[in-house]
């Protein structure tokens, strides 16, 4: 009530600064005085505080992503608790159990969260927006949505131990990237995923436990592309690669799928987003293959995270590398495809500084005056070079006269060549005539060719580089998709030639023609035992399939039946959940945890707390006159004088209630008379107690 009066009388919005030279030294001090519409700008530096934002205030880093660090190593609960306003431009390191809890109408944007011990981003309710947020190495899930109807777009989850994105509620989910992890995406609600990518999950790219509509997806390098769990999941104009295996899906599930190498510009297993480029190359089957329109040029939508009709990634410096894929999105000379020059900066975003800069072996500069090597002055009379009479003069072949003025060439990048001497990139130390060609999408030797002789160049002109799958970049007849001949050579670069399919090269009794999926390994053939070794030993398209069906810990449930840890008998989908131990005993992807420490978790975690962010709110709590439903009975301040919610109420102690409760009309300020009555009542009680003690 008091806040509403202050906001109504507030002046126009202001900007409040935080930092050594700012208005306040801590973020929370600034937020305490900020009102709706204000902007809190955080100067570069490292801060060690959690942030709670429940008003329409913008919290931002004016220098861009990477300049403001939140060191959360001493914070055990959520680092950001947002129900309103906008927070952007933060890097959270060593996040606690939750990096950011986002609910209500809050917006979280342009933020990186590292090493949360539970979830990177948690959405329990409301209609919040989470845009361009990356979560690295979450112990459970990168993103958990347990309620509400959020919008989550242009986000990345890398190396999440359980699931990159765990979606338990419907919402708008698009342009999402999951790299590695047990699941790329796990959905337990009817929802839709659009223009998203799951790469290198250790189990399943998309685990759809309810009907999920997948549109313009790229699912590559996953043992199982999609597990439909016999529900109404659907796949529309999406690409599957390095496995087209689906589990418990309808017969026509992959009818609209594209089977082929996505041919990203630069994908390398094990690398983080700063070191890869998931845009489709010109020859990629992702280009113009999707449903809908591309936001950038209104063409047919591409498949994957950069081809959606609704999203365009932020690229503040215009270098072609969007935020979350660029370690400095405010400097166009810093990105993965540049050379690390000697300037004290990680120019190529690989975590190392100046590693490519050549060692300076030049001698120290000679500052002595130059030696005079000019010849002595000729004082003899000039030679008569005129032609004799009737004799023609020969052509003048003498060199031009030396005027004593030297031609000056400016070498801007110190590589020994100026632009006038043929340097085709005068701000790149690794580019000059005769430089070694390296795979960096640049013409290093200034010969007009890009990346020739490297794994990124197309040396034979067939449209494919080695990176794009060309198995012989000296032969224009050998490339992915070429026509295969039985001539002992692998024309289509699929690793085999039809003429060899009838030869049992590993002597396991089965040829490629008969179904051997690896004819170099005698332990791999149809019908072999498929143990947990990362190899599809029985050639059924499922890695470690037999082992997944076994009950290794003898708890009655196999991994295929829902045991998320088949080496621990205390973990299975049929077991009860234990609270606050960060172990998912019942394999539902959520551990019971009590955010406010009042002993009762939220319903999403199996409890009954109607507000798990306030320790004074839980079923059975004492109702207080504070505008809240403290005891979770759907009634607010029912025992306050003058608050007739359900007819006459019994007031336990009229004197105490009158003293500290604001029982006036909404918007009024508590009277000082109430406080005075409280003081007098307490004093009277103390005197009576003292009298009893004296009498004793």
């Amino acid at each position: 009530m008091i806040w509403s009066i202050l906001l109504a009388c507030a002046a126009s919005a202001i900007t409040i600064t935080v930092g050594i030279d700012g208005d306040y030294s801590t973020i929370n001090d600034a937020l305490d005085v900020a009102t709706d519409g204000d902007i809190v700008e955080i100067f570069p530096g490292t801060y060690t505080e959690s942030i709670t934002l429940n008003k329409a205030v913008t919290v931002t880093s004016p220098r861009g992503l990477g300049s403001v660090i939140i060191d959360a190593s001493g914070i055990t609960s959520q680092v950001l608790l947002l129900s309103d306003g906008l927070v952007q431009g933060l890097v959270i390191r060593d996040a606690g159990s939750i990096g950011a809890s986002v609910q209500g109408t809050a917006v979280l944007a342009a933020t990186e969260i590292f090493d949360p011990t539970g979830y990177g981003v948690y959405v329990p309710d409301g209609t919040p927006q989470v845009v361009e947020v990356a979560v690295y190495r979450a112990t459970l899930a990168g993103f958990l949505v347990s309620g509400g109807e959020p919008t989550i777009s242009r986000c990345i989850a890398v190396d999440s131990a359980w699931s990159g994105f765990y979606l338990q509620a419907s919402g708008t989910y698009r342009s999402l990237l999951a790299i590695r992890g047990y699941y790329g995406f796990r959905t337990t609600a009817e929802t839709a995923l659009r223009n998203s990518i799951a790469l290198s999950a250790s189990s399943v790219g998309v685990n759809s436990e309810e009907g999920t509509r997948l549109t313009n997806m790229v699912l590559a390098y996953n043992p199982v592309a999609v597990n439909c769990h016999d529900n109404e999941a659907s796949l529309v104009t999406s690409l599957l690669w390095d496995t087209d295996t689906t589990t418990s899906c309808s017969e026509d599930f992959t009818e609209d799928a594209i089977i082929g190498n996505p041919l990203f510009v630069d994908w390398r297993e094990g690398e983080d987003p700063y070191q890869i480029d998931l845009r489709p190359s010109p020859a990629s089957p992702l280009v113009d293959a999707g449903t809908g329109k591309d936001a950038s040029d209104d063409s047919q939508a591409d498949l994957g995270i950069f081809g959606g009709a609704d999203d365009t990634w932020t690229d503040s410096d215009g270098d072609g590398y969007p935020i979350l894929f660029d370690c400095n999105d405010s400097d166009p000379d810093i990105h993965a495809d540049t050379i690390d020059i000697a300037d004290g900066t990680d120019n190529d975003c690989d975590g190392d500084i100046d590693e490519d800069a050549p060692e300076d072996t030049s001698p120290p500069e000679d500052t002595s005056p130059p030696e005079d090597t000019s010849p002595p002055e000729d004082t003899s009379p000039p030679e008569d070079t005129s032609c004799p009479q009737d004799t023609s003069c020969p052509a003048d072949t003498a060199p031009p006269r030396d005027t004593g003025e030297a031609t000056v060439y400016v070498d801007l990048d110190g590589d020994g060549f100026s632009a006038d001497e043929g340097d085709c990139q005068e701000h790149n130390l690794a580019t000059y005539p005769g430089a070694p060609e390296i795979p960096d999408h640049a013409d290093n030797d200034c010969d007009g060719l890009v990346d020739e002789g490297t794994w990124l160049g197309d040396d034979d002109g067939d449209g494919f580089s080695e990176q794009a799958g060309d198995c012989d970049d000296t032969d224009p007849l050998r490339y992915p998709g070429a026509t295969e001949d039985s001539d002992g050579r692998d024309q289509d670069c699929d690793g085999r030639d039809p003429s060899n399919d009838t030869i049992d090269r590993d002597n396991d009794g089965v040829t490629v023609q008969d179904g051997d999926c690896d004819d170099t390994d005698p332990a791999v053939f149809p019908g072999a035992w498929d143990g947990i070794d990362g190899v599809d030993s029985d050639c059924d398209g499922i890695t470690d399939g037999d082992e997944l069906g076994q009950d290794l810990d003898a708890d009655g449930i196999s991994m295929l039946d829902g045991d998320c840890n088949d080496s621990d008998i205390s973990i299975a989908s049929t077991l009860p959940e234990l609270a606050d131990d960060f172990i998912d005993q019942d394999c539902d992807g959520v551990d019971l945890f009590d955010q406010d420490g009042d002993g009762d978790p939220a319903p999403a975690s199996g409890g009954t707390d109607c507000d798990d962010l306030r320790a004074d709110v839980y079923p059975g709590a004492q109702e207080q006159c504070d505008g809240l439903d403290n005891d979770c009975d759907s009634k607010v301040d029912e025992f306050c004088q003058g608050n007739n919610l359900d007819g006459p109420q019994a007031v336990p102690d009229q004197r105490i209630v009158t003293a500290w409760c604001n029982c006036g009309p909404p918007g009024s300020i508590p009277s000082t008379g109430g406080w005075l009555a409280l003081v007098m009542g307490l004093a009277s009680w103390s005197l009576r107690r003292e009298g009893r003690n004296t009498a004793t």
Side-chain angles (χ1 to χ4, degrees):
M1 288 179 285
I2 295 176
W3 278 114
S4 63
I5 295 173
L6 291 175
L7 291 175
C9 302
S12 58
I14 61 173
T15 297
I16 305 169
T17 57
V18 177
I20 296 177
D21 298 321
D23 300 322
Y24 295 90
S25 60
T26 71
I27 302 170
N28 282 295
D29 285 345
L31 289 177
D32 285 343
V33 300
T35 60
D36 282 4
D38 287 349
I39 299 174
V40 175
E41 291 188 348
I42 310 175
F43 291 164
T46 299
Y47 300 79
T48 57
E49 55 188 308
S50 59
I51 299 173
T52 298
L53 182 59
N54 53 14
K55 44 193 169 183
V57 172
T58 296
V59 179
T60 185
S61 167
R63 297 283 184 88
L65 179 61
S67 64
V68 175
I69 310 295
I70 303 293
D71 179 1
S73 56
I75 302 173
T76 57
S77 59
Q78 63 268 7
V79 182
L80 303 181
L81 178 55
L82 314 178
S83 59
D84 200 350
L86 163 66
V87 172
Q88 63 181 4
L90 305 185
V91 175
I92 302 174
R93 298 195 178 277
D94 296 316
S97 60
I98 297 177
S101 178
V102 190
Q103 53 194 292
T105 58
V107 178
L108 177 65
T111 293
E112 292 179 324
I113 300 173
F114 291 87
D115 304 298
T117 57
Y119 304 100
V121 175
Y122 172 49
V123 179
D125 57 50
T127 57
Q129 298 181 55
V130 181
V131 183
E132 292 180 339
V133 174
V135 177
Y136 290 82
R137 299 179 295 275
T139 300
L140 293 177
F143 296 77
L144 168 64
V145 178
S146 64
E149 194 170 351
T151 295
I152 300 182
S153 63
R154 307 196 300 276
C155 290
I156 300 175
V158 181
D159 290 321
S160 303
W162 183 242
S163 182
F165 295 83
Y166 186 14
L167 310 177
Q168 299 177 345
S170 298
T172 300
Y173 306 115
R174 64 198 183 212
S175 300
L176 307 178
L177 169 62
I179 299 178
R180 298 181 288 275
Y182 189 75
Y183 296 134
F185 298 86
R186 182 185 181 190
T187 63
T188 58
E190 290 190 9
T191 189
L193 277 170
R194 189 179 185 93
N195 282 95
S196 297
I197 298 178
L199 297 174
S200 298
S202 63
S203 178
V204 181
V206 178
N207 194 52
S208 173
E209 297 177 28
E210 291 291 341
T212 303
R213 181 178 175 84
L214 306 172
T215 305
N216 296 355
M217 303 285 289
V218 177
L219 307 174
Y221 314 109
N222 308 294
V224 176
V226 183
N227 187 343
C228 299
H229 292 273
D230 294 316
N231 56 52
E232 297 300 320
S234 60
L235 188 73
V236 181
T237 57
S238 296
L239 179 138
L240 309 179
W241 176 244
D242 203 24
T243 177
D244 56 359
T245 302
T246 59
T247 301
S248 302
C249 298
S250 61
E251 292 184 1
D252 60 350
F253 182 77
T254 59
E255 188 175 84
D256 199 23
I258 300 171
I259 310 298
N261 191 328
L263 298 180
F264 298 120
V265 170
D266 186 5
W267 160 251
R268 283 165 286 162
E269 178 59 59
E271 297 288 354
D272 286 339
Y274 289 160
Q275 290 297 301
I276 60 178
D277 188 343
L278 298 183
R279 292 173 295 182
S281 63
S284 170
L286 308 180
V287 177
D288 294 341
T291 298
K293 296 294 185 179
D294 192 310
S296 61
D297 57 10
D298 200 38
S299 64
Q300 193 73 14
D302 296 345
L303 305 186
I305 59 176
F306 296 114
D310 305 307
D311 279 308
T312 301
W313 290 70
T314 300
D315 181 12
S316 300
D317 55 14
D319 60 4
Y321 291 82
I323 193 170
L324 304 185
F325 293 87
D326 190 341
C327 60
N328 187 336
D329 203 34
S330 60
D331 189 333
D333 294 325
I334 296 179
H335 50 76
D337 282 340
T338 191
I339 299 300
D340 211 355
I341 62 176
D343 61 353
T345 302
D346 179 17
N347 305 91
D348 57 359
C349 295
D350 66 351
D352 298 320
I353 296 177
D354 299 348
E355 77 274 11
D356 296 328
E359 182 181 357
D360 186 4
T361 58
S362 59
E365 182 181 359
D366 185 3
T367 58
S368 59
E371 180 182 357
D372 185 4
T373 58
S374 59
E377 182 179 359
D378 186 2
T379 58
S380 60
E383 180 182 358
D384 184 5
T385 59
S386 59
C387 297
Q389 187 175 5
D390 297 330
T391 303
S392 61
C393 291
D396 187 1
T397 59
R401 181 181 178 185
D402 183 3
T403 63
E405 297 180 0
T407 302
V408 178
Y409 299 105
V410 180
D411 178 17
L412 298 179
D413 55 8
D415 58 11
F417 292 84
S418 68
D420 292 330
E421 294 171 313
D423 195 332
C424 52
Q425 289 190 28
E426 254 294 74
H427 295 282
N428 190 338
L429 189 63
T431 299
Y432 54 86
E437 193 71 33
I438 59 177
D440 62 350
H441 303 288
D443 178 16
N444 303 99
D445 56 4
C446 298
D447 65 351
L449 303 175
V450 175
D451 294 334
E452 71 274 19
T454 74
W455 57 278
L456 280 180
D458 178 20
D459 295 333
D460 54 12
D462 58 11
F464 293 85
S465 65
E466 292 176 54
Q467 187 272 339
D470 196 330
C471 52
D472 185 352
D473 210 25
T474 64
D475 187 344
L477 299 179
R478 301 181 66 190
Y479 55 88
T483 301
E484 189 69 70
D485 295 324
S486 298
D487 59 356
R489 298 192 307 160
D490 177 18
Q491 272 90 1
D492 61 359
C493 296
D494 66 350
R496 64 186 185 88
D497 181 77
S499 62
N500 296 324
D501 288 355
T502 59
I503 301 173
D504 183 14
R505 288 175 290 176
D506 56 9
N507 296 315
D508 58 8
V510 184
T511 66
V512 172
Q513 189 177 68
D514 295 329
D516 195 333
C517 53
D518 185 352
D519 209 28
T520 64
D521 188 343
V524 176
F525 55 89
W529 169 254
D530 197 5
I532 296 180
D533 56 2
V535 177
D536 178 17
S537 304
D538 59 358
C539 296
D540 67 349
I542 303 176
T543 301
D544 303 340
D546 293 332
E547 205 68 79
L548 292 174
Q550 302 300 308
D551 182 18
L552 301 180
D553 56 6
D555 59 6
I557 303 293
S558 70
M559 294 185 72
L560 286 178
D561 294 328
D563 193 336
C564 53
N565 186 342
D566 209 29
S567 62
D568 190 337
I569 195 172
S570 67
I571 298 177
S573 57
T574 58
L575 296 178
E577 184 69 26
L578 301 179
D580 297 317
D581 61 354
F582 292 105
I583 298 175
D584 179 21
Q585 280 91 1
D586 62 358
C587 294
D588 67 348
V590 179
D591 178 56
L592 294 182
F593 57 91
D594 180 15
Q595 294 190 67
D596 56 15
D598 61 10
D600 190 354
S605 295
T608 58
D609 195 334
C610 57
D611 188 346
D612 203 32
L613 302 178
R614 295 186 63 98
D616 55 349
V617 176
Y618 56 88
Q622 177 66 44
E623 187 68 34
Q624 302 179 28
C625 301
D626 55 1
L628 301 174
D629 177 17
N630 303 89
D631 56 3
C632 294
D633 64 351
S634 301
K635 301 174 184 177
V636 177
D637 297 345
E638 61 263 35
F639 295 119
C640 289
Q641 184 179 15
N643 207 358
N644 186 14
L645 300 178
D646 293 315
Q649 298 288 331
V651 179
D653 191 331
Q654 185 73 26
R655 292 164 300 174
I656 299 299
V657 171
T658 303
W660 66 275
C661 217
N662 173 27
C663 304
S668 64
I669 300 176
S671 66
T672 56
W675 292 105
L676 181 59
L678 173 60
V679 174
M680 293 178 66
L682 291 175
S684 174
W685 173 80
S686 179
L687 288 174
R688 292 198 301 273
R689 180 179 178 87
E690 182 178 351
R692 288 197 299 271
N693 292 340
T694 302
T696 303

